[in-house]
Amino acid sequence: MTAPDFDIVVSGGGVAGLTAAAVFGNAGFSVLCVDPAPPVTDRDAKGADLRTTAFLQPAQALLERAGLWARLAPHAADLQIMRIVDAGGELAEPRLTKEFDASDISDRPFGWNLPNWLLRREMVAHLESLDTVAFRPGTGFASLFTREAEARVGLSDGTKLRCRLVVAADGRNSPVREATGIGVKTMRYGQKALAFAVTHPIPHENVSTEIHRTGGPFTLVPLPDHEGRPSSAIVWMGDGPEVQRLAALPVPEFEAAMNERSCRLFGPLTLASRRTVWPIISQQADQMYSERVALVAEAAHVVPPIGAQGLNMSLGDMRVLLDLAEAAPDRLGDLAMLESYHRRRHWEVTARVRGIDLLNRASMMHAQPLRDARAMTLNAIYSLAPVRKTLMQLGLGARG
């Protein structure tokens, strides 16, 4: 029996992989997307990803181009202001607060925040509407053989197929990357992150708030109201053992701890979801391509969740791949296209991985003199309007 052929095989059915399938499918390429685990698309189901993703302006434009934004917009919370709070004094209370307002550089918000489980639900529904895309949850990548003209991909169900390009969107432990032999450099911090949702009496007013003390930032990102109350998603980074201790606390004790760490900026927080724990690392692949293979998203780069950079870097990968594919469809997946992709992305990815690594190390500081130096640096940067605006533009990916 002749194996089915596709222009592109996407390995990975997370937010990045589903976006890749939608982006290329909407552009008219035939796409197969596979993932060994069916997506969890219910907030309260076991295994649901309770993290959120803030799509910055360039990422939102790509979602629009993919035909996805119309489905996502009704569920999104605007991110108009990025607030940084230093609470690194002897007491757990704000001693310095600085706000970066999107109106200083744009007439639109910085970005739009959505829960990851909901993104999967809406993206899977969108893929079902595309005749160009086949999605096979429960089937994973198994093997790869490439030659100059094509890739031959084996799947976990025994299927063998041919394609012109393999897009590896299968995570930090990417099986496709391993099959190509591309190496990675990994930095470990001894950190973990708690991800969960809360409600609070004081409206967030579309302000994303990072509170810095020790161990890593405590970040509240706006969500639409939950059960009639203002709601935010929280990512609480800290030393690994401490995060594990917090995750195991009974709810009353946990709420007391998170209210102290939040400096009560939004009033008393009430836990509104399960708590999930995620490891924190930085990681970068030695190169972003191999013969007939493009690495994207966490297969190519992983960063701590600071400044909403992670998935937005990933969508930057897909934007460049799509531009190259549409400019020369007949050369999809060939060596010249993939070398161009690497040149256009690798330098910027390297710069952002290093920059976020520095920010994370600064947020972890325990020694009081270092925390004081961090606060002085924030104050100095904020006081220089041209520097402040440039940093905001760099955060959006508008420069760099």
Side-chain angles (χ1 to χ4, degrees):
M1 184 175 181
T2 303
D5 294 331
F6 294 87
D7 291 324
I8 299 168
V9 171
V10 177
S11 176
V15 173
L18 295 173
T19 302
V23 162
F24 287 103
N26 201 62
F29 295 96
S30 60
V31 181
L32 172 66
C33 181
V34 298
D35 192 283
V40 180
T41 57
D42 187 303
R43 180 182 186 272
D44 298 317
K46 183 178 180 181
D49 186 348
L50 299 180
R51 296 173 297 176
T52 63
T53 294
F55 292 100
L56 303 180
Q57 289 179 16
Q60 185 270 339
L62 183 68
L63 296 176
E64 189 97 56
R65 192 171 164 187
L68 275 166
W69 188 245
R71 299 191 70 99
L72 299 177
H75 307 286
D78 291 359
L79 304 180
Q80 181 63 35
I81 293 174
M82 301 290 191
R83 175 189 294 149
I84 299 179
V85 176
D86 186 276
E90 292 184 7
L91 300 177
E93 59 187 29
R95 59 175 180 172
L96 182 69
T97 299
K98 299 297 182 184
E99 294 186 347
F100 297 81
D101 194 325
S103 64
D104 289 344
I105 59 170
S106 173
D107 58 359
R108 307 173 72 210
F110 283 117
W112 298 263
N113 197 51
L114 293 107
N116 285 5
W117 63 267
L118 185 144
L119 285 169
R120 282 193 171 98
R121 185 189 74 191
E122 296 302 316
M123 287 177 172
V124 168
H126 180 66
L127 294 187
E128 290 173 352
S129 72
L130 296 176
D131 294 336
T132 50
V133 178
F135 178 44
R136 295 188 196 169
T139 301
F141 166 87
S143 65
L144 176 69
F145 173 77
T146 63
R147 51 177 58 179
E148 187 176 340
E150 67 177 17
R152 297 184 180 183
V153 179
L155 303 180
S156 60
D157 63 0
T159 301
K160 305 286 186 183
L161 53 89
R162 303 185 310 273
C163 65
R164 300 163 66 196
L165 173 66
V166 178
V167 175
D170 45 3
R172 59 187 66 183
N173 299 314
S174 167
V176 173
R177 188 188 64 226
E178 288 190 13
T180 66
I182 296 173
V184 294
K185 295 180 178 67
T186 302
M187 291 173 280
R188 303 188 185 278
Y189 304 98
Q191 286 174 300
K192 295 186 184 296
L194 272 167
F196 52 96
V198 297
T199 57
H200 39 81
I202 299 174
H204 49 62
E205 296 182 337
N206 298 322
V207 177
S208 177
T209 304
E210 274 189 9
I211 305 170
H212 293 264
R213 186 161 171 76
T214 64
F218 182 99
T219 306
L220 300 98
V221 188
L223 287 174
D225 288 359
H226 178 65
E227 297 180 347
R229 301 190 73 207
S231 181
S232 294
I234 291 180
V235 176
W236 184 356
M237 292 167 57
D239 300 333
E242 173 63 7
V243 168
Q244 295 286 20
R245 184 190 73 81
L246 290 165
L249 286 177
V251 171
E253 286 90 334
F254 179 74
E255 289 185 335
M258 72 175 175
N259 276 301
E260 179 182 7
R261 186 63 178 81
S262 74
C263 301
R264 296 187 177 271
L265 294 179
F266 294 93
L269 306 179
T270 301
L271 187 64
S273 74
R274 292 180 298 106
R275 290 164 274 178
T276 57
V277 176
W278 301 86
I280 301 299
I281 64 170
S282 288
Q283 184 169 279
Q284 186 176 5
D286 294 339
Q287 62 184 49
M288 296 181 68
Y289 76 102
S290 183
E291 187 175 62
R292 291 285 159 184
V293 175
L295 305 186
V296 303
E298 289 201 341
H301 43 75
V302 182
V303 293
I306 293 176
Q309 293 298 301
L311 192 69
N312 288 277
M313 289 168 61
S314 304
L315 297 196
D317 301 339
M318 291 167 211
R319 184 167 56 249
V320 170
L321 271 181
L322 180 62
D323 288 346
L324 292 167
E326 290 190 317
D330 57 318
R331 290 175 38 209
L332 177 71
D334 73 7
L335 181 60
M337 173 189 168
L338 293 172
E339 286 179 336
S340 180
Y341 166 64
H342 175 81
R343 283 195 304 270
R344 290 174 60 177
R345 288 299 295 152
H346 195 249
W347 183 88
E348 181 183 344
V349 165
T350 299
R352 289 183 184 273
V353 169
R354 290 175 179 171
I356 296 165
D357 170 69
L358 289 173
L359 289 173
N360 187 43
R361 293 182 189 279
S363 76
M364 293 171 64
M365 293 172 176
H366 288 270
Q368 190 63 57
L370 293 176
R371 286 152 58 179
D372 293 342
R374 181 183 64 199
M376 287 188 289
T377 300
L378 171 62
N379 192 48
I381 289 172
Y382 189 86
S383 299
L384 299 170
V387 175
R388 183 171 72 248
K389 290 183 179 181
T390 297
L391 286 175
M392 287 191 282
Q393 289 166 331
L394 283 170
L396 287 179
R399 295 184 183 178

